Amino acid sequence: MLSKFKKTCRRIVGASEDEVSVISSRDWVVRLGDSPARRAADYVTALFPIFGWITRYNLGWASGDIIAGLTVGIVLVPQSMSYAQIATLPPEYGLYSSFVGVLVYCFFATSKDVSIGPVAVMSLTVAQIIKHVNDAHPGMWEGPEIATTVAFICGFIVLGIGLLRLGWLVEFIPAPAVSGFMTGSALNIVSGQLPGLMGISGFDTRAATYKVFINTLKGLPQTKLDAAFGITGLVSLYAIRWVCDRLSKRYPTKARVFFFMSVFRNAFVIVVLTIASWLYTRHRKTAAGKYPIKILQDVPRGFKHLGQPHIDAELVKALAGELPVATIILFLEHIAISKSFGRVNGYKIDPNQELIAIGVTNTIGTLFGAYPATGSFSRSALQSKSGVRSPASGLFSAVVVIVALYGLTPAFFWIPSAALSAVIVHAVADLVASPRQVYSFWRVSPIELIIWVASVLVTVFATIEDGIYTSIAASLALLLIRLARPRGHFLGRVTLHNTNESSSRDVYIPLNPNKFLMNAHVKVYPPSPGVVVYRFEESFLYPNSSLVNDAIVDFVKENTRRGRDMTGVKSGDRPWNDPGKNNEAEHNAEKPILHAVVLDFSAVSHLDTTGVQALIDTRTEVERWADHPVEFHFATILSPWIRRALVAGGFGVGTLSTQIHEEIAPVTRYHDQYIADPQHADPAKITHEQQDDLEAPAITPVSGRSSSEGTILSVPNDSGAPMMLPTTPFFHLDVVTAVRAAEGGVTRASSFMETDSDKD
């Protein structure tokens, strides 16, 4: 009963009784479900990478981590307050984000070098989100509440992406797009800090970059005393770095000392300018409570906003449109930084785990009142150069932040805002791509340089949000174009001779080789007459399948002659799309008749239904042109699923189909025999349908063809076992084997045609 039911089902779906053995969905399910308990245990264990290295922690690691952690902490304190200023938040929120970032990240990190905390681009994004919400709903929510909500929602989204193992989505954004966005954002931040550096006010510093720059130039006559502190601080920062770099090169043995002197320049400049500010402004407070220059003033001691965050549903709705760009920036910069340091320092990061670390850090950070934090390139570089040995260095950086929060807040009162602007400009300027880097984009891929330029220009003349969307959209468009319009080449033979071993071998290269790839004077011999060899350089999918069909069919019609002589056919008997030529027979006399097509699948990693249909259509068109069956050979099939798809389309099995029309997956139920005109109807199907009709006219089906003799390769160490599966003789190990098999089929086909002619 069960076997009868199976036969009925197979007949309904059109399955053959003698199908070739191919990979099945059951194989995929079995492999996917292999050892589920072990997979679940590995998944949970991977969530806490700290258990992989904490048991091996030692004093040697601790010494490096202490130095690196304290060094980063000293830089982190002034930078975090400066970045909070970019985010239009009180300075203590920068310290909150810094503490949580360096503390929590070490428990989930797969990178020893990355330092988490406030960064310039994310801070600028938060400032724009606050401005957007306040413009739409003035006075409803305070800036810190908006920033904390952004941190919670974005952190939760990134955490979900990591837990679902969707970190591969980050790979769709290439390096030039990230660089262009970062460069444009850096220019935006620098232009926004120049007014604070000069003490200029009276216009929106969060407007488009070019507007802020123009307004700053217009406001130069209104420069205030703040410029004395800001410009002095900025010049001092660059001077200290320049002097230390020169001294390191001149005295290599003391390079380590000069390195740490350069590292502490931020803290040194802030301390000196704070003392100068205190000396100058402490006795110059006006009756209105103002000082001659803008200073931080009160910075609350400790964690004043510790507790459960208040997430207002209405606020979430108000900033929903800004969440995508904030989320992208949150993980994009971090993944790019962590991959870069892993590549340079010889270890591999797990993008999914890094997303989990970022998500957990920002979600927990809302308990402390923190705003979004992510990886910082400048502090990560500093941590790496300081000799960090493990992620535990973040614990020592957290100690420095705690000391600052509980012991140094009175001194923060006198820090000039212009000094913080100088720190920001100095740090952010390094994010601008160097001319050498831009030239590298041009050398590698000029079109990616266009994406970089577009990203920078849109960010400068519009907004950061538009800039990042432009870079992502342009990159995806380029990816789709490359997928839809890939390269393909018709191949010819070149024989390579080894003079040392007196041996030779054949290789197949494009018939017209590019002069920038190989010697243009090398003679490339086409394959035997009647054989076409084609290599496709991309996965064979629905966006590009018609391209291959057109390329092969056009090449066949141009380089082979029609199998049927059409010179004597009247115009009324010709197809409507075949005007014919008077000298067609003369023109095609020297051309061979097509007998075989060899497809090199060495670069094809995926094949879908539309791709198989395109191959079927190609076979149909070339067989109609040649007026006889044509062999299709495939070389170097990479995946069992590609083999399965090809077998489903009737390829590879060696039995040459007599069906002129075949739809592997018709778009409608009624196809082929219902839509084909009498001239192109399928004789086999019509014969089958009319075999019970005694009055139906007799139709002779197209004669079948036998498979050519496949080249069976054996493995010497396995008792002569065949290399390729014998059930699919038209699937070959490499191009050379496939061409030999195709040429053997041509020889037999020619002999067969000559025999038929003699009989006639």
Side-chain angles (χ1 to χ4, degrees), residues 57-71 256 260 383 386-390 392-393 396:
Y57 201 77
N58 52 66
L59 292 178
W61 291 9
S63 61
D65 289 343
I66 291 173
I67 295 173
L70 295 179
T71 302
R256 187 85 172 161
F260 282 106
Q383 185 157 272
S386 298
V388 64
R389 302 297 299 276
S390 76
S393 63
F396 303 104

Side-chain angles (χ1 to χ4, degrees), residues 505-571:
R505 63 186 179 94
D506 291 340
V507 295
Y508 284 84
I509 64 174
L511 288 171
N512 299 308
N514 192 299
K515 65 179 182 179
F516 296 106
L517 289 176
M518 59 191 71
N519 189 346
H521 301 291
V522 172
K523 176 66 175 177
V524 181
Y525 295 93
S528 297
V531 176
V532 173
V533 185
Y534 185 76
R535 175 182 294 149
F536 191 56
E537 298 184 1
E538 185 56 79
S539 290
F540 201 6
L541 304 173
Y542 65 92
N544 56 41
S545 57
S546 62
L547 183 71
V548 179
N549 173 269
D550 294 341
I552 295 177
V553 172
D554 292 345
F555 184 86
V556 166
K557 291 184 177 181
E558 183 179 350
N559 294 276
T560 64
R561 73 173 184 267
R562 193 194 298 265
R564 179 185 177 189
D565 186 5
M566 300 290 287
T567 54
V569 178
K570 298 178 181 179
S571 60

Side-chain angles (χ1 to χ4, degrees), residues 675-697:
I675 66 174
D677 57 34
Q679 187 178 4
H680 298 94
D682 187 338
K685 290 185 179 179
I686 295 176
T687 302
H688 175 73
E689 291 176 2
Q690 296 180 345
Q691 60 185 353
D692 297 328
D693 188 354
L694 299 179
E695 297 181 359

Side-chain angles (χ1 to χ4, degrees), residues 31 37 70 105 130 134 138 158 189 206 210 215 242 294 322 367 410 429 485 487 513 547 625 630 694 704 723 727 758:
R31 184 172 59 86
L70 295 179
Y105 178 71
I130 293 174
N134 286 335
V158 173
I189 294 168
R206 286 172 288 177
Y210 76 98
N215 289 329
W242 182 80
K294 187 178 179 181
E322 307 296 320
L367 300 175
R485 310 299 295 178
R487 290 183 296 267
L547 183 71
W625 174 262
V630 175
L694 299 179
M723 188 73 176
T727 54
D758 294 340

